[in-house]
Amino acid sequence: MKTLIPADEIRDAVARLGGEITREYAGRPLTVLGVLNGSLVFLADLIRTIDLPLRIGLLQASSYRGTATSPGDLVVNEELLPTLDGRHVLLVDDIFDTGHTLEAVVALVKSRGAASVQSAVLLRKQGRRQVLSEPDRHLFEIPNEFVVGYGLDYADEYRHLPHVAVLEPEDLRPTASNDHPS
Ligand code: IMP
Ligand code: MG
């Protein structure tokens, strides 16, 4: 496995984003909404750099993936979703890959009466987009390679790494087609 983005670069970029959010959302009721499970680490770090009153919300998006990167059927679990009426929502996710996840969750949040919705992802993968929309903000642009760490998993492992790493072919092992939280 090879480090693509070291932990200190992530920390600096997250802090810059937190500063921007602090300036942009001052005086507005902010809900930072994380897409489980991949946004967990990013969400936890980001909210501690935002110097505003805010609420946290969560929802879960899962897809059936036969291989490491092929998009499958998306399932959004809204059981944890708080009331969003009149809230300004910053949607946070780990990575914009094909874009199907973000497109689906943005549509869901808009349908729940949010006053505004913006998205911020840690990573944007080049050359993979299959939807018309783009994330409003991304911290890093990465090549089309499978990455893990800082919340991102392979077969539900490696999420705890403090940096983002590229999985090399010998790190990839075949898994049965499984339903794992993205
Ligand atoms: P989408 O294709 O933009 O809908 O991305 C869906 C989800 O796939 C992301 O939220 C991630 O959980 C997962 N994903 C996409 N690319 C990678 C990767 O390189 N490593 C780990 N997970 C990924
Ligand atoms: Mg995800």
Side-chain angles (χ1 to χ4, degrees), residues 60-115:
Q60 187 167 49
S62 313
S63 50
Y64 290 89
R65 283 168 188 275
T67 65
T69 54
S70 68
D73 293 281
L74 188 72
V75 181
V76 179
N77 181 343
E78 315 165 34
E79 265 165 45
L80 303 168
L81 197 66
T83 307
L84 298 177
D85 263 324
R87 307 289 301 179
H88 292 271
V89 174
L90 179 69
L91 201 51
V92 172
D93 206 358
D94 52 0
I95 188 168
F96 184 93
D97 181 29
T98 65
H100 288 295
T101 303
L102 199 66
E103 190 174 72
V105 292
V106 166
L108 175 73
V109 169
K110 284 184 174 158
S111 77
R112 292 305 156 90

Side-chain angles (χ1 to χ4, degrees), residues 1-4 13 23 25 44 50 61 71 97 129 136 149 155 167 170 175:
M1 226 188 277
K2 114 179 160 278
T3 298
L4 184 66
R23 288 187 291 278
Y25 286 89
I50 301 175
D97 181 29
R129 189 164 61 97
D136 294 301
L167 274 195
E170 62 270 26
T175 49

Side-chain angles (χ1 to χ4, degrees), residues 17 32-40 42-43 46 59 61 74 90-97 99-103 105 118-124 135 137-139 150-152 159 182:
L17 175 63
V32 183
L33 193 62
V35 183
L36 291 174
N37 292 343
S39 73
L40 202 58
F42 182 27
L43 178 73
L46 177 63
L59 57 79
L74 188 72
L90 179 69
L91 201 51
V92 172
D93 206 358
D94 52 0
I95 188 168
F96 184 93
D97 181 29
H100 288 295
T101 303
L102 199 66
E103 190 174 72
V105 292
Q118 279 198 49
S119 56
V121 295
L122 180 76
L123 309 175
R124 182 186 178 286
R137 293 183 165 88
H138 64 270
L139 300 192
Y150 204 75
L152 292 129
R159 293 193 199 273
S182 62

Side-chain angles (χ1 to χ4, degrees), residues 132-173:
L132 292 174
S133 53
E134 286 273 2
D136 294 301
R137 293 183 165 88
H138 64 270
L139 300 192
F140 300 95
E141 186 90 33
I142 63 162
N144 184 8
E145 288 185 277
F146 197 81
V147 293
V148 295
Y150 204 75
L152 292 129
D153 74 301
Y154 172 64
D156 233 6
E157 288 178 34
Y158 310 116
R159 293 193 199 273
H160 65 293
L161 299 178
H163 55 273
V164 171
V166 176
L167 274 195
E168 287 166 302
E170 62 270 26
D171 302 317
L172 294 167
R173 54 188 158 73

